[in-house]
Amino acid sequence: MSESVYKIIEMVGASTKSWEDATQNAINSAGLSLRDLRIAEVEKLDLKIEDGKGTLYRARVKLSFKVLSD
Amino acid sequence: MSESVYKIIEMVGASTKSWEDATQNAINSAGLSLRDLRIAEVEKLDLKIEDGKGTLYRARVKLSFKVLSD
Amino acid sequence: MSESVYKIIEMVGASTKSWEDATQNAINSAGLSLRDLRIAEVEKLDLKIEDGKGTLYRARVKLSFKVLSD
Amino acid sequence: MSESVYKIIEMVGASTKSWEDATQNAINSAGLSLRDLRIAEVEKLDLKIEDGKGTLYRARVKLSFKVLSD
Amino acid sequence: MSESVYKIIEMVGASTKSWEDATQNAINSAGLSLRDLRIAEVEKLDLKIEDGKGTLYRARVKLSFKVLSD
Amino acid sequence: MSESVYKIIEMVGASTKSWEDATQNAINSAGLSLRDLRIAEVEKLDLKIEDGKGTLYRARVKLSFKVLSD
Amino acid sequence: MSESVYKIIEMVGASTKSWEDATQNAINSAGLSLRDLRIAEVEKLDLKIEDGKGTLYRARVKLSFKVLSD
Amino acid sequence: MSESVYKIIEMVGASTKSWEDATQNAINSAGLSLRDLRIAEVEKLDLKIEDGKGTLYRARVKLSFKVLSD
Amino acid sequence: MSESVYKIIEMVGASTKSWEDATQNAINSAGLSLRDLRIAEVEKLDLKIEDGKGTLYRARVKLSFKVLSD
Amino acid sequence: MSESVYKIIEMVGASTKSWEDATQNAINSAGLSLRDLRIAEVEKLDLKIEDGKGTLYRARVKLSFKVLSD
Amino acid sequence: MSESVYKIIEMVGASTKSWEDATQNAINSAGLSLRDLRIAEVEKLDLKIEDGKGTLYRARVKLSFKVLSD
Amino acid sequence: MSESVYKIIEMVGASTKSWEDATQNAINSAGLSLRDLRIAEVEKLDLKIEDGKGTLYRARVKLSFKVLSD
């Protein structure tokens, strides 16, 4: 049956390199305990600044994963 | 005491029939493990298309349920 | 003269059957005292849950109706 | 190569029966000249009123379809 | 390593006194099982009315807490 | 029959003390002529400033009340 | 006492000349029965088209007026 | 049959005179190849500045036109 | 080097004539001390009402100007 | 002449007591160097949490003040 | 004459490398048949996940291009 | 005392390489005259196109910095 149900959770990942990497970090952390992850939707991007320099890219994302399959 | 606390989760339900049915499916899946569900607020509706025909109605909803009662 | 003026009111209709029916109920109630209703715009849809089942579809709509014609 | 490109168009479908049917009508009309339709996202729902009765369900949707595959 | 990951949950707290107190109640309930809470962002405020008087202040908030540290 | 219809009106209440009090004032004024008030949803908060000091808290709220019961 | 309460209504005015004129028309129609109008906030502007030409400017506005003074 | 389907396109018109004129220019350009234009909804207004003076009014609009009639 | 940096400020201009004129007034005031103004984006339009008549058009705009060139 | 121009700045105030107090603190800080402050519009409210307790109320506000009078 | 008209289309580009690359892919595909492209505005970013890993960066963008010049 | 006040300014940074780099450029320019920068929140991303190629990544960001410390 194709009428699956998905659940969506919201996370913030961080990286010193890029927002792409920050999003991957959010997925990796969530992935430890969740299976069937499908997509990460970007909700908000920001950059933490220390001593006048941008040091930490952060991505707030919504992750959806299957909770009912067949 | 009436100062209850509620928690809100986000889910996507699907149905081949209607968005009403898709929302009911999201509730049914969540209901297995959650008690005191109160309301499902529609966040987004879409329709999956296969071979040029709309085949699966999907409803992204926010479900609220009581976590503290008395 | 075609420069009519419209007024817009906001209502919530409900139905045990569907959001279409909930919207019709909002119109029917408003229609008792208002003439020249033209359109119902959906602002928000939700579903009330009782005993783990979705029982009441609700539609919050904006109804526009003519207040100045010629 | 899986790096496809999609195009998104916006349409309004209508039906005397339901918003589900209105959305299907938008897809059917678009489908005549477009291939690879994938999804219809609901942007706005409304209901046209005549003589105090809701007569025409309308759904404004965004349709996405593949323009580059391999 | 400072590249922590945060999770965000959504809750509704209530109070007969103020929205500040309602937000504190949401935090207190969540705090029982969650550690490393950092911030509560207000999403929506409302006031329940009984017998023509506002009786219960409610705050819908997003709570973020650390899920990955070092 | 539980398929009630609600109407929603928008008001701005003010207070020299707090936004909670400003919201109560909006309810009290509306309450004189309306029965079955249920909820006040906050749309916008601001603070009027005179001589460099914040002097009047204002809350723009949406008030819903029953227009059809049984 | 300066803690006045305001009410807000939503109207659509139209004009063949400009959106400024359309807004004035909405105020004039409302003004017949309402006193203490203070401000018209623009919510949406559009232009009706007939025979390929824009013929009627329309402005959807929120009008606020005092309901409680001293 | 009244269940027509509409398509919506987005354009930016410009004028040295006014935003009304900018919107008319968007319609005129679109009108060359499109029939059955019905409405132009304003999405965004801005004003280009040269040498410290506002010189070009621009209106981003959504134009809807019939693609299926009977 | 073409990698310029722009700054954006928010202002409210007013005029008894039109929203176009209100926007020009915001630019003129800002222009006294700022060089390299490029664009004024409209954020909000309203109309102040006195004695039941709309008397002052106001435009809240975001003005961008170059702070780093080459 | 009543066609004044206003400027709007964005600030975050904080307080251990309430969001009202946090907003007053933002005004007080801005007031040191700005005259003719008129209004503080609330953009966002949050609450900083330390050791599982909400400790610092923060209000992000937009402050408008006159830059051109006569 | 500088009163050009622009058209805006919406596309989704994808890339295994970055959102910058995904946006470039959307432009390249559109560029085959469109001249005078001017800007790509990001509407939404997401990341497709397969086997617990983010595999495909996607960017939904609005592309504007000149349809009337002189 | 920890009840600091922050100010927020809006800037647009640009880069031929990436949106991360564009954001860093906005910070670097602002940093020349501002101390205590804390965070850059992304408001909007776009990409300027020349000769059919994306050439300049731009990031509109809100920068917050401390104006009151202890």
Side-chain angles (χ1 to χ4, degrees):
Chain A
M1 191 191 76
S2 60
E3 301 185 18
S4 307
V5 173
Y6 291 87
K7 191 173 175 188
I8 293 164
I9 58 171
E10 198 169 0
M11 302 192 77
V12 180
S15 159
T16 57
K17 278 180 275 170
S18 68
W19 283 307
E20 281 83 353
D21 200 43
T23 303
Q24 295 283 6
N25 285 343
I27 293 170
N28 292 340
S29 308
L32 298 176
S33 55
L34 304 171
R35 70 176 212 286
D36 288 309
L37 279 163
R38 272 195 329 153
I39 202 161
E41 298 169 281
V42 174
E43 293 292 306
K44 184 173 160 61
L45 301 173
D46 67 24
L47 174 52
K48 212 174 161 181
I49 306 171
E50 290 170 325
D51 299 326
K53 292 186 187 311
T55 54
L56 194 63
Y57 296 97
R58 295 187 296 198
R60 188 194 277 219
V61 296
K62 289 205 171 178
L63 295 172
S64 55
F65 58 99
K66 214 176 273 192
V67 288
L68 243 202
S69 63
D70 8 50
Chain B
M1 193 190 74
S2 61
E3 300 184 19
S4 308
V5 173
Y6 291 87
K7 191 173 175 188
I8 293 164
I9 58 171
E10 197 168 1
M11 301 192 78
V12 180
S15 159
T16 56
K17 278 180 275 170
S18 69
W19 284 308
E20 281 83 354
D21 200 43
T23 303
Q24 295 283 7
N25 286 343
I27 293 170
N28 291 340
S29 308
L32 298 177
S33 56
L34 305 171
R35 69 178 213 284
D36 288 310
L37 279 163
R38 272 193 331 151
I39 202 161
E41 298 169 280
V42 175
E43 293 292 306
K44 184 173 160 59
L45 301 173
D46 66 25
L47 175 52
K48 211 174 162 181
I49 306 172
E50 290 171 325
D51 300 325
K53 292 186 187 312
T55 54
L56 195 62
Y57 297 97
R58 295 187 298 197
R60 188 194 277 218
V61 296
K62 289 205 172 179
L63 295 172
S64 55
F65 58 97
K66 212 176 275 191
V67 289
L68 244 201
S69 65
D70 4 53
Chain C
M1 193 190 74
S2 61
E3 300 185 18
S4 307
V5 173
Y6 290 86
K7 191 173 175 188
I8 293 164
I9 57 171
E10 198 168 1
M11 301 192 78
V12 180
S15 159
T16 57
K17 277 179 278 172
S18 69
W19 284 307
E20 281 84 353
D21 200 43
T23 303
Q24 296 282 6
N25 286 343
I27 293 170
N28 291 340
S29 307
L32 299 177
S33 56
L34 304 172
R35 69 177 214 287
D36 287 309
L37 279 164
R38 273 193 329 151
I39 202 161
E41 298 168 282
V42 174
E43 294 292 306
K44 183 175 161 59
L45 301 173
D46 67 24
L47 174 52
K48 213 175 160 179
I49 305 171
E50 291 171 324
D51 299 324
K53 291 185 187 313
T55 54
L56 194 63
Y57 297 98
R58 294 187 299 196
R60 188 195 275 219
V61 296
K62 289 204 172 180
L63 295 172
S64 55
F65 57 97
K66 211 176 276 193
V67 289
L68 242 201
S69 64
D70 6 52
Chain D
M1 193 188 75
S2 61
E3 299 183 20
S4 307
V5 173
Y6 291 86
K7 191 173 175 188
I8 293 165
I9 57 171
E10 197 167 1
M11 301 191 77
V12 180
S15 157
T16 56
K17 277 180 276 171
S18 69
W19 283 307
E20 280 84 354
D21 200 43
T23 303
Q24 296 282 6
N25 286 342
I27 293 170
N28 291 339
S29 307
L32 298 177
S33 55
L34 305 171
R35 68 176 215 285
D36 287 310
L37 279 163
R38 273 194 330 153
I39 202 161
E41 297 169 282
V42 174
E43 293 292 306
K44 183 173 162 60
L45 301 173
D46 67 25
L47 175 52
K48 211 173 161 182
I49 306 171
E50 291 170 325
D51 299 325
K53 291 187 187 312
T55 54
L56 194 63
Y57 297 97
R58 294 187 299 196
R60 189 195 275 220
V61 296
K62 288 205 172 179
L63 295 172
S64 55
F65 58 98
K66 211 176 277 192
V67 288
L68 245 202
S69 66
D70 4 51
Chain E
M1 193 191 73
S2 60
E3 301 185 19
S4 307
V5 173
Y6 290 87
K7 191 173 175 189
I8 293 165
I9 58 170
E10 197 168 1
M11 301 193 77
V12 180
S15 158
T16 57
K17 278 180 276 171
S18 69
W19 283 307
E20 281 84 353
D21 201 43
T23 303
Q24 296 282 8
N25 286 343
I27 293 170
N28 292 340
S29 308
L32 298 177
S33 55
L34 304 171
R35 70 176 214 286
D36 288 308
L37 279 162
R38 271 192 333 148
I39 202 161
E41 298 169 281
V42 175
E43 293 292 306
K44 184 175 160 60
L45 302 173
D46 67 25
L47 174 52
K48 212 174 161 180
I49 305 171
E50 291 170 325
D51 299 325
K53 291 188 187 312
T55 54
L56 194 63
Y57 297 97
R58 296 187 297 198
R60 188 195 276 219
V61 296
K62 289 204 172 179
L63 296 172
S64 56
F65 57 98
K66 212 176 278 193
V67 288
L68 244 202
S69 65
D70 4 52
Chain F
M1 193 189 75
S2 61
E3 300 184 18
S4 307
V5 173
Y6 291 86
K7 191 173 175 186
I8 294 165
I9 57 171
E10 197 167 2
M11 301 192 78
V12 180
S15 158
T16 57
K17 278 179 276 171
S18 68
W19 283 307
E20 281 84 353
D21 201 43
T23 303
Q24 296 281 7
N25 286 343
I27 292 170
N28 292 339
S29 307
L32 299 176
S33 56
L34 305 171
R35 70 175 214 286
D36 288 309
L37 280 163
R38 272 194 331 151
I39 202 161
E41 298 168 281
V42 175
E43 293 291 305
K44 183 174 161 60
L45 301 173
D46 67 25
L47 175 52
K48 211 174 161 181
I49 306 172
E50 291 171 324
D51 298 325
K53 291 186 187 313
T55 54
L56 194 63
Y57 296 97
R58 295 187 299 196
R60 188 194 276 220
V61 295
K62 289 205 172 178
L63 296 172
S64 55
F65 57 98
K66 211 176 276 193
V67 289
L68 243 202
S69 65
D70 6 49
Chain G
M1 193 190 75
S2 60
E3 299 183 20
S4 308
V5 173
Y6 290 86
K7 191 174 175 188
I8 292 164
I9 58 171
E10 197 168 2
M11 301 191 78
V12 180
S15 158
T16 56
K17 278 180 276 174
S18 68
W19 283 307
E20 280 85 352
D21 201 44
T23 303
Q24 295 283 7
N25 286 343
I27 292 170
N28 291 340
S29 308
L32 299 176
S33 55
L34 304 172
R35 69 178 214 287
D36 288 308
L37 279 164
R38 271 194 330 151
I39 202 162
E41 297 169 281
V42 174
E43 292 293 305
K44 183 176 162 57
L45 301 173
D46 67 24
L47 174 52
K48 211 174 161 179
I49 305 172
E50 291 170 325
D51 299 326
K53 292 186 186 313
T55 53
L56 195 62
Y57 296 97
R58 294 187 297 196
R60 189 194 274 219
V61 295
K62 289 205 172 178
L63 295 171
S64 56
F65 57 99
K66 211 176 276 192
V67 288
L68 243 203
S69 65
D70 2 54
Chain H
M1 192 190 76
S2 60
E3 299 185 20
S4 307
V5 172
Y6 291 86
K7 191 174 176 188
I8 293 165
I9 58 171
E10 197 168 2
M11 301 192 78
V12 179
S15 158
T16 57
K17 278 181 275 173
S18 69
W19 283 308
E20 281 83 353
D21 200 42
T23 304
Q24 295 282 6
N25 286 342
I27 293 170
N28 292 339
S29 308
L32 299 177
S33 56
L34 303 172
R35 69 177 214 287
D36 287 309
L37 280 164
R38 272 194 332 153
I39 201 162
E41 298 170 281
V42 174
E43 292 293 304
K44 184 174 161 60
L45 301 173
D46 67 25
L47 175 52
K48 211 175 161 179
I49 305 172
E50 291 170 323
D51 299 326
K53 291 186 187 313
T55 53
L56 194 62
Y57 297 97
R58 294 188 298 197
R60 189 195 275 219
V61 296
K62 289 205 172 180
L63 296 172
S64 55
F65 57 99
K66 211 176 276 192
V67 288
L68 243 203
S69 63
D70 4 53
Chain I
M1 193 191 75
S2 62
E3 300 184 18
S4 307
V5 173
Y6 291 86
K7 191 173 175 188
I8 293 165
I9 58 171
E10 197 169 0
M11 301 191 77
V12 180
S15 158
T16 56
K17 278 181 275 173
S18 69
W19 283 308
E20 281 84 353
D21 200 43
T23 303
Q24 296 282 7
N25 286 343
I27 292 170
N28 291 340
S29 308
L32 298 176
S33 55
L34 303 171
R35 68 177 214 289
D36 288 308
L37 280 163
R38 271 195 331 151
I39 201 162
E41 298 169 281
V42 174
E43 292 292 305
K44 184 174 160 60
L45 302 173
D46 66 25
L47 174 52
K48 211 173 161 181
I49 305 172
E50 290 171 325
D51 299 326
K53 290 184 188 314
T55 54
L56 195 62
Y57 296 98
R58 295 187 299 196
R60 188 193 276 220
V61 296
K62 290 206 171 179
L63 296 171
S64 55
F65 57 99
K66 211 176 277 193
V67 288
L68 244 203
S69 64
D70 4 53
Chain J
M1 192 190 74
S2 61
E3 299 183 20
S4 307
V5 173
Y6 291 86
K7 191 174 174 187
I8 294 164
I9 58 171
E10 198 168 0
M11 301 192 78
V12 180
S15 158
T16 57
K17 277 179 278 172
S18 69
W19 284 307
E20 281 84 354
D21 200 44
T23 304
Q24 295 282 7
N25 286 343
I27 293 170
N28 292 340
S29 308
L32 298 177
S33 56
L34 305 172
R35 68 177 215 284
D36 288 309
L37 278 163
R38 271 194 331 152
I39 202 162
E41 298 170 279
V42 174
E43 294 291 306
K44 184 174 161 62
L45 301 173
D46 66 25
L47 175 51
K48 213 174 160 179
I49 306 171
E50 291 171 325
D51 299 326
K53 291 186 188 313
T55 54
L56 194 62
Y57 297 98
R58 294 187 298 196
R60 188 194 277 219
V61 296
K62 288 203 172 181
L63 296 172
S64 55
F65 57 98
K66 211 176 275 191
V67 288
L68 243 203
S69 65
D70 3 54
Chain K
M1 192 191 76
S2 60
E3 299 184 19
S4 307
V5 173
Y6 291 86
K7 191 172 175 187
I8 294 164
I9 57 171
E10 198 167 0
M11 301 192 78
V12 180
S15 159
T16 56
K17 278 180 275 172
S18 69
W19 283 308
E20 280 84 353
D21 201 43
T23 303
Q24 296 282 7
N25 286 342
I27 293 170
N28 292 340
S29 307
L32 297 177
S33 56
L34 304 171
R35 68 177 215 286
D36 287 309
L37 280 163
R38 273 193 332 151
I39 201 161
E41 298 169 281
V42 174
E43 293 292 306
K44 183 174 162 61
L45 301 173
D46 66 25
L47 174 52
K48 212 174 160 179
I49 306 171
E50 291 171 324
D51 299 325
K53 292 186 187 312
T55 54
L56 194 63
Y57 297 97
R58 294 187 298 195
R60 188 194 276 219
V61 295
K62 289 203 173 181
L63 295 172
S64 55
F65 57 99
K66 211 176 276 192
V67 288
L68 243 201
S69 65
D70 6 53
Chain L
M1 191 190 75
S2 60
E3 299 183 20
S4 307
V5 173
Y6 291 87
K7 190 172 175 187
I8 293 164
I9 57 170
E10 198 168 0
M11 301 191 78
V12 180
S15 158
T16 57
K17 276 180 276 173
S18 68
W19 283 307
E20 280 83 354
D21 200 44
T23 303
Q24 296 282 7
N25 285 343
I27 293 170
N28 291 341
S29 308
L32 298 177
S33 56
L34 305 171
R35 68 175 215 286
D36 287 310
L37 279 163
R38 273 193 331 151
I39 202 162
E41 298 169 281
V42 175
E43 293 291 307
K44 183 174 161 64
L45 302 173
D46 67 25
L47 174 52
K48 211 174 161 180
I49 306 171
E50 291 170 325
D51 299 325
K53 292 187 187 312
T55 54
L56 194 64
Y57 297 97
R58 294 187 298 197
R60 188 194 276 220
V61 295
K62 289 204 172 180
L63 296 171
S64 56
F65 57 99
K66 211 176 275 192
V67 288
L68 245 201
S69 64
D70 5 51

